[in-house]
Amino acid sequence: MEYYGAWNRDQLLIAHGWLEGQLDLAELFIDLYDDPRWLDRLLAQFPQADPTGRGQISAEQAVRWHVARVPVLTPGAPDLRYMPRDVSHWKESLTMADGAVLGTEVYLPAGEGPFPVLVGRGVRLGGQMDGAHWYLGQGYAAVSQDLVPEGQELSAGMHGGRARVRRDTASDTAILLDWVAQQAWCNGKIGLFGYSAGGLATLPVLESRPPQLTAAVTHITTADRKAISSLRGGVRTSRERTFNPQTPWEPGDPPAGRVGLTPLRAADQVEIFKTDFSGWFDIFLQGAIDDWLAWRESGRAVLIIGGGAHGALPRPSRRPPDYCDADIFWPDVPGFDLLKGTVDESSVKSVLYYFLMGDFTDPEAPGNEWRVTHDWPVPHEERSYYLTGENGLSPEPPKAEAAIDYAYDPQQPNARADIEWRSLVAEGPVDQRAKRDRDDVVYFTSEPLTEPLEITGRLRAHLHISTDVPDTTFMVKFLDIYPDGYEAMIAHGAIMARYRDGFDRPTPMEAGKVYELAIDLWSTAIVLAAGHRLGVYITNSEYGRFQVHPNRWEPTASYAEALTAHNRIHIAPEYPSRIVLPVVQPGASEVYDPARHQLCHKRSEP
């Protein structure tokens, strides 16, 4: 089974009656439930999907139940065709602290008000209204602000246009919240909403703990934009589909100081409720986890991490059926209902729901179920698997010296395995076997596991390397290798060698000298079944995901100036190159049970 898609948005509109047409369940991946054992797994944790209480449902019932729980996201900019009846709409022009004027759209639902207000911002033309149409029908007002100042020239972008210069998101959002709070149509309850760029456009305001804000409900995003742009070991991301050897290069620009949200203390008594949805393959995953950790002491932080990505999974990817998506919990989160006063605030606790992945092809394999924890990481043992000179992975440290040599030529860079997929933004458990024939990709694999291995938490690699160039990048992937040979990418990371001692201490390498590189692979939660093997993949370039490094210290005008790096991976008692995994014993977190685990207690409207 190879799963590639996100649900077709028009099909969601049809399912909810917003568009006419016949529902095509194939577009909603009903075939993922061809094996009835997946339906059993869904019902084990979501018995409410069975309206009869008989303990048995069809694939069509499962899909329709899940679709009914997902709010409709309208396409792109504010399309008035999908507005509920009697919505009033006008545009304001708000002046920011630097004098820039930002267009601000206001939408009020039917009724007299005042109303709870949802605030969204986005780099798209017309701000970000995805989802707001849905909530307008439920009595919320919506405000959508464009990040692009009136009359400013736009650069091309996948969503119709982007600002050429990024503004101070936190400052602009604070001014917007203050303005909304003063309007007669606002009842004093304000929530931030948005996904991806929409979250980046609002969440940084949380650093100032704005008193006007009641809640923030976002998904596949983070308060820390640097989490993907230059914190992957200082390596810039690059989503180019083809490599152009004529382009210039300069090293990444890591932040000079601390990034992300300053952690709260319970004594701070911050009353803002924060909820975020993410996925183990999302490009903002670690930022979402870090945001939750920073906000946890408030007692009002909820994070739900599913098995998804930043959009449709690339090809080829394996994944279990859609009950692994975080959006299955959307109706249960407290954020929006808090604005209406239909949630007992004392029932909301800081909690993390996460999908523990497993063998994506076997409904009876361990894992593939939802877990609940109030702590992160969950209790675990850091277990090292050491690289061997025979390209193996061993739980025993090396007892003798070995080395693996290979060359990296930036003019012939490695491409990500799914480079032909339509969206290079999405990560996923993509099969990496296509890269095994490259001389600049080095694989290490373990013996088949004799029992399941649960890995939950943050992964890292420690490589002992030498090279003959002053600087380069190293990339590491952790793989779940199936008995049939499929190599699912579970986690990955990168580092620019100049930043090995910290972003504030860039230092060139000396030819032949051995250096230890610590590489952050971010986080995951998965059980590798018996018979699977661990895999580690090491290379120096991966265009479509990361900027290609020319192996020079100084900026270059083009890759004609690139150097070929001759690299060595050192394996010895004093050079224990290894991957470190957070191994979890059964019972470290609770299995999600709807009878015992509720994100909040809801009540009828006051």
Side-chain angles (χ1 to χ4, degrees):
M1 178 182 64
E2 293 179 350
Y3 173 84
Y4 306 136
W7 280 346
N8 180 283
R9 191 173 288 182
D10 282 353
Q11 292 300 313
L12 288 178
L13 294 173
I14 292 170
H16 287 276
W18 291 27
L19 278 181
E20 294 185 1
Q22 184 68 32
L23 192 64
D24 184 350
L25 292 174
E27 292 283 350
L28 300 173
F29 303 102
I30 190 173
D31 57 300
L32 292 176
Y33 288 107
D34 282 346
D35 189 326
R37 293 176 297 175
W38 286 121
L39 295 170
D40 293 340
R41 300 220 52 169
L42 182 149
L43 285 178
Q45 296 198 289
F46 301 99
Q48 63 269 40
D50 174 15
T52 65
R54 294 180 302 173
Q56 186 176 4
I57 58 174
S58 68
E60 180 173 346
Q61 286 175 312
V63 172
R64 288 184 179 272
W65 171 77
H66 191 169
V67 167
R69 293 174 66 82
V70 179
V72 179
L73 297 178
T74 47
D79 192 327
L80 298 179
R81 289 180 301 165
Y82 300 111
M83 289 293 173
R85 294 184 60 184
D86 300 323
V87 169
S88 55
H89 163 230
W90 70 94
K91 181 177 179 180
E92 301 273 359
S93 295
L94 299 190
T95 303
M96 300 294 104
D98 63 352
V101 177
L102 299 184
T104 305
E105 310 275 348
V106 178
Y107 303 81
L108 301 186
E112 302 222 353
F115 309 100
V117 184
L118 301 178
V119 173
R121 307 179 75 238
V123 294
R124 306 174 186 183
L125 287 171
Q128 184 172 84
M129 278 293 287
D130 287 18
H133 301 62
W134 171 265
Y135 291 104
L136 279 162
Q138 300 184 38
Y140 299 90
V143 173
S144 175
Q145 186 176 72
D146 196 344
L147 268 66
V148 182
E150 298 284 315
Q152 184 180 101
E153 185 180 3
L154 299 176
S155 61
M158 67 177 69
H159 298 303
R162 294 179 179 271
R164 290 184 179 275
V165 178
R166 290 189 179 270
R167 299 182 50 75
D168 184 341
T169 299
S171 172
D172 288 353
T173 306
I175 291 172
L176 176 60
L177 291 175
D178 186 59
W179 179 82
V180 170
Q182 296 179 47
Q183 305 310 302
W185 38 263
C186 173
N187 71 356
K189 299 288 187 180
I190 304 174
L192 297 176
F193 76 104
Y195 71 93
S196 190
L200 296 178
T202 58
L203 287 179
V205 78
L206 294 179
E207 184 67 9
S208 63
R209 316 336 186 197
Q212 306 93 338
L213 191 61
T214 302
V217 182
T218 54
H219 54 299
I220 57 172
T221 191
T222 174
D224 176 17
R225 180 178 61 84
K226 293 286 189 180
I228 66 158
S229 61
S230 53
L231 276 188
R232 300 307 297 259
V235 184
R236 287 181 176 175
T237 56
S238 175
R239 305 292 174 178
E240 301 297 327
R241 198 170 300 278
T242 58
F243 172 67
N244 182 358
Q246 301 305 314
T247 57
W249 173 89
E250 61 182 29
D253 183 25
R258 194 190 171 282
V259 295
L261 297 175
T262 301
L264 292 174
R265 301 168 301 163
D268 294 335
Q269 297 184 322
V270 172
E271 297 184 352
I272 300 169
F273 293 84
K274 184 182 184 307
T275 301
D276 196 17
F277 294 79
S278 191
W280 290 123
F281 302 104
D282 187 65
I283 58 175
F284 296 115
L285 166 66
Q286 196 59 51
I289 294 174
D290 292 345
D291 289 351
W292 182 81
L293 289 170
W295 216 258
R296 179 177 53 177
E297 289 303 311
S298 70
R300 300 176 177 223
V302 174
L303 176 59
I304 303 170
I305 306 176
H310 203 82
L313 290 176
R315 295 185 179 180
S317 290
R318 290 178 173 177
R319 200 182 75 158
D322 281 323
Y323 75 90
C324 74
D325 277 335
D327 63 13
I328 205 166
F329 287 100
W330 193 275
D332 304 329
V333 303
F336 290 122
D337 293 305
L338 281 162
L339 304 184
K340 281 191 170 182
T342 56
V343 166
D344 176 3
E345 292 193 11
S346 66
S347 70
V348 182
K349 310 295 181 186
S350 289
V351 66
L352 195 162
Y353 284 23
Y354 68 94
F355 189 78
L356 177 64
M357 300 181 288
D359 184 319
F360 300 143
T361 65
D362 183 1
E364 296 183 346
N368 288 327
E369 65 185 2
W370 283 94
R371 296 291 184 93
V372 179
T373 182
H374 297 276
D375 298 300
W376 189 266
V378 298
H380 64 278
E381 164 205 348
E382 290 202 339
R383 186 178 300 177
S384 293
Y385 286 83
Y386 298 90
L387 312 186
T388 75
E390 296 76 34
N391 295 90
L393 286 172
S394 171
E396 300 297 327
K399 295 181 172 59
E401 291 189 11
I404 295 177
D405 296 327
Y406 68 99
Y408 156 50
D409 179 2
Q411 298 194 61
Q412 302 293 326
N414 176 41
R416 58 187 287 178
D418 53 320
I419 193 72
E420 299 302 325
W421 178 233
R422 64 181 176 84
S423 173
L424 294 182
V425 176
E427 310 287 9
V430 175
D431 191 356
Q432 303 295 312
R433 282 178 290 181
K435 299 301 172 183
R436 278 194 172 264
D437 61 350
R438 286 189 62 97
D439 292 336
D440 59 355
V441 176
V442 185
Y443 277 86
F444 298 86
T445 57
S446 73
E447 293 296 318
L449 295 170
T450 57
E451 59 185 21
L453 183 69
E454 182 174 338
I455 300 165
T456 299
R458 201 158 185 169
L459 297 74
R460 66 182 189 275
H462 292 267
L463 300 184
H464 294 266
I465 62 92
S466 60
T467 187
D468 60 354
V469 295
D471 191 30
T472 190
T473 52
F474 282 87
M475 288 130 194
V476 176
K477 295 180 182 179
F478 173 65
L479 311 177
D480 174 6
I481 303 178
Y482 282 65
D484 66 0
Y486 187 99
E487 298 179 350
M489 183 185 78
I490 302 302
H492 70 90
I495 191 169
M496 189 176 293
R498 69 174 66 202
Y499 297 125
R500 63 193 177 275
D501 296 323
F503 292 143
D504 59 340
R505 297 175 59 192
T507 310
M509 293 183 290
E510 299 176 24
K513 183 176 179 179
V514 180
Y515 298 94
E516 180 177 2
L517 305 179
I519 302 176
D520 181 6
L521 276 62
W522 284 12
S523 302
T524 194
I526 189 169
V527 181
L528 274 63
H532 287 227
R533 292 180 294 156
L534 311 180
V536 168
Y537 160 131
I538 299 172
T539 191
N540 293 80
S541 64
E542 191 175 35
Y543 73 81
R545 182 173 281 121
F546 293 115
Q547 188 179 48
V548 175
H549 196 300
N551 296 333
R552 302 192 76 101
W553 178 263
E554 65 281 352
T556 60
S558 77
Y559 286 86
E561 303 175 21
L563 303 173
T564 295
H566 299 90
N567 303 318
R568 171 168 288 185
I569 300 172
H570 293 262
I571 299 165
E574 66 270 34
Y575 300 131
S577 294
R578 64 201 183 278
I579 188 167
V580 183
L581 305 178
V583 175
V584 172
Q585 297 303 316
S589 60
E590 297 184 71
V591 176
Y592 167 71
D593 179 352
R596 295 187 300 114
H597 301 116
Q598 293 184 343
L599 289 170
C600 64
H601 175 67
K602 296 187 179 182
R603 55 195 179 200
S604 59
E605 294 193 26

